[in-house]
Amino acid sequence: MPASVRSLFGRTLAVAALAAGLTTVVSVPAHADSGPQACTASWYGAPGEIPPGWPTASGEPFDSEAMAAASRDLPFGTEVRVTNAENGESVTVRINDRGPTDTSRCIDLTRGAFARIADTDRGLTEVTLEILGD
């Protein structure tokens, strides 16, 4: 098979696998070793937005009340302490999904996790993220 066909075939398989959720490409985040990261958090899982039990990117059923979150770059299963910069309230979440799609935000908390640290009516809050040890 010519190299150009192998390359196209390989890319097509990779795209199909990603689209089917068969694999996840994760880069090692720069902030994993650099201590707490200040950024903007959002939340997801409003009533009617995602059906209960819908599979997250990790394959776990979605639960809007779980202490879970979506990250673009942290590996599934990573535990993160998320602290509201305004009021000092914090919550520990486990990464089980991918997002947020808005790159101005660093983490997407479930509705239940966000409600522990801020009013969900706000939609966004400034936080610090601290990746917890193994």
Side-chain angles (χ1 to χ4, degrees), residues 74-89:
L74 291 173
F76 295 137
T78 302
E79 289 196 339
V80 180
R81 180 178 298 118
V82 182
T83 303
N84 184 322
E86 257 183 47
N87 63 20
E89 295 291 327

Side-chain angles (χ1 to χ4, degrees), residues 16 22 34 39-40 43 47 50 53 72-73 83-85 89 99 110-111 124-126:
L22 299 176
S34 59
C39 57
T40 303
W43 68 274
I50 301 171
R72 283 184 296 278
D73 54 8
T83 303
N84 184 322
E89 295 291 327
T110 60
R111 194 209 67 75
L124 302 173
T125 193
E126 295 303 310

